[in-house]
Amino acid sequence: MNHTATLPNNGSSKAAAGETASNKSASTAQASSKATLGANATNKTASGAQQLAAPTDETGHVTEHVATPLTNSRAKPTRHRLLFWVVALAIIALGQFAASRLDWVAHYPSEWIFPLKNWIDAFFEWLVYGVRFFDGTSYGFSPRDVTRGLASVLAYPLHLSESIFFDGFSKNIPALPWITVAGLAALLGHWLGGWRSALLGAAAFTYLALFGVWQASMQTFSLVLITVPMVFLIGLVAGVLMSKSPRFKRAITPLFDILQSMPPFAYLVPIVVLYGVGDVPAMIATALFAVPPVARCIALGLESVQKGVLEAGQMMGCTRWQLLWKVQMPTARSVLLVGLNQGIMQTLAMIVLAALIGASGLGSELLTSLQSLRLGEALEQGIAIVVIAVVLDRLSRAYALKQPKYMDPSLAWWRRHPYMVLALVFLAGSTLLARVLPDLALLSDGHTITTAPYWNAGIDWINLHLYDSVQAFRNFTLMKILIPTRNFFLAIPWVTFLALVVLTGYRLGGWSVALIAGLLILFPAATGLWPETMTTLYMIGTAAVICVSVGFVIGLGASRTAGWSRFASGICDFLQTFPSFIYLIPVVMLFKVSDLSAIIAVLMFAVVPMIRYTILGLRGVPKPIIEAATQQGATRLQRLIKVELPIALPEIMLGVNQVIFMALFMVAITALIGTQDLGAEINAARSGNEIGKALVAGLCIAFLGITADRLIGAWVKRKKIALGAI
């Protein structure tokens, strides 16, 4: 599911979720450099040289005094690159020599391990039990009492929503019939986006009723309706504060980075301890996951309001609050509503994960089907989540694009609000009709359909006819590629790896990036999780390389025409809304429990952003630059390599960044099929309610993602400077 893009750049996504804000920032940087890129396009095409044309004398010969600075400007970066590789090789050689002589270089000493797990456990023990007397009795009040009280408050609106859509208020006042919900969705869709949106809304909810997943879908829908406003409200407050206070933004950004890059499994454990299990704790866990991208998107929208608009508001005598609510908010309306859209998608991305702590609905049904290996039922339930995600996504986007319409206040109320009148009439009529025809309230089993037997038969056929070929491929890949790669990563001395990361950080971004990257990479060693971290790095690195390669090729092919771009984007939308658990089913059925299964599941889940951002970057190259390259006689291949790829590089690298974060998001999920990495540590801690162990392992994963983000960001900045974009 979409984890999103507004990850530490970036964005999680984890997700597919939060990519629009990142697209906006990348597009802004690209737009600001169009003039410079356009001016230099002629010189970057046919010859590929990154230099301006040299002046000539009266005879047409190039003047010699220009050659010297061009040669020096090229020689200096070449010397720097050569020095970097020399130092890197020296670090590797010295590290291997020292590891053979000194045990503490090869293996991080146990006496140096930082007891962070114990400290976290002690802190949460205080949160649970409060102040303890010498005889072991508690003070009578603990911080957990506050968290449980908050959970009880949040239960009231959730119960109201469930009563409306799921279990009703009483026998005489049942929940809304499916025909009523489908009709109201059609009316809402028509009001927002016309007949297409109306048909989408009606078809989506009819599908849920027709395939027999209505009850579970309405439980999930009720949870989303309460969680999304809560997420948006918290994100709005945080986004406003980030846009107004640079100090607050600097303070909250590291926390958002950690929350977006840490697998949700890691903070499910403390959520259970503080809030218990059930739908309300699931709402709180979802808020932790969804608020950061929403807040980042809102802050970006408010900060992008032009100074001229703000100055006009100040000249009109607006106070700070009036300037915010009357000027900035309306101006940034479309971006704010994109933030709402991201909140919806991130919330649905947590549906299945939240089922692990007691959330009811489609997530719980899907998890049960997965545990019993009922593939057909699991796919239908997963598609139901996709259907809800797509319809909410399209309707929220339509609302973001909808222009305000003026209505004459002298008209009667029913003429000013025709859709409201139609909705009330349809609500009353369909509810009464459902009393007469019970199948309009909830379809009986005899009137529902299922495709589960066909999916199960397909899997059986594959296992029967392709088993030998699949197992031969599995064994070859494991024995010849994956296991040697894993052993290579585990054999790297921690001192060598740390030094290489610091050197790379210094080469790309100076001492500040080197120091941050070094400290983040030191954390897994200092907390005693270095082998698990290197195993995670091997799996994520392998999957990321494949994702980037496959995604770039597909994105490159799709970007050549507008039709293929739209088709590929539609497929990406569908894949990104699919629950992450679903990807485990076919790989386990085909390749059994192994590292190969985990890597393929990560590949299927994380390849989407690479395709999307490759298309975005290549389709965003200004046409005048492409035309200039063509007029200079560049072939299609020369134009691609010398012009399009350098200009699209920031967006493509943002796709690489998203791939890494989405792969890290899958670490804890793939641990359910038997991996031995940080995800396995989190999964074991979740089973035993070991809060310290879960959070430390989650921080190790988060710090891997943040390190990759900082290094990639520094490299992209260098390339932008080289292109004249900044």
Side-chain angles (χ1 to χ4, degrees), residues 18 83 108 110 125 152 345 363 492 555 596 628 652 662:
L83 180 61
Y108 193 86
S110 58
E125 184 178 359
S152 63
M345 302 310 293
I492 300 175
L596 178 61
I652 294 174
M662 293 186 71

Side-chain angles (χ1 to χ4, degrees), residues 325-337:
W325 294 106
K326 302 294 185 181
V327 178
Q328 284 183 280
M329 290 289 188
T331 304
R333 175 178 177 270
S334 59
V335 182
L336 299 184
L337 292 174

Side-chain angles (χ1 to χ4, degrees), residues 398-418:
Y399 183 61
L401 298 174
K402 183 178 176 61
Q403 297 297 322
K405 186 177 180 181
Y406 173 78
M407 297 296 295
D408 188 354
S410 62
L411 295 175
W413 182 87
W414 64 272
R415 295 189 62 184
R416 284 186 284 119
H417 304 281

Side-chain angles (χ1 to χ4, degrees), residues 111-184:
E111 58 270 16
W112 293 4
I113 292 177
F114 199 59
L116 184 59
K117 300 177 186 177
N118 299 333
W119 293 354
I120 293 176
D121 287 334
F123 173 71
F124 274 89
E125 184 178 359
W126 172 79
L127 289 179
V128 172
Y129 298 107
V131 179
R132 305 291 293 271
F133 293 108
F134 292 107
D135 59 358
T137 60
S138 63
Y139 183 71
F141 176 80
S142 68
R144 187 173 65 167
D145 296 329
V146 177
T147 60
R148 294 296 174 96
L150 176 62
S152 63
V153 172
L154 293 175
Y156 287 107
L158 180 61
H159 178 68
L160 175 62
S161 178
E162 289 181 339
S163 298
I164 294 174
F165 292 98
F166 172 57
D167 54 5
F169 294 92
S170 64
K171 291 183 178 180
N172 296 325
I173 308 178
L176 291 178
W178 73 265
I179 190 67
T180 303
V181 177
L184 293 178

Side-chain angles (χ1 to χ4, degrees), residues 184 187 413 417-431:
L184 293 178
L187 286 173
W413 182 87
H417 304 281
Y419 284 97
M420 182 68 72
V421 174
L422 286 174
L424 292 174
V425 171
F426 183 79
L427 174 64
S430 60
T431 302

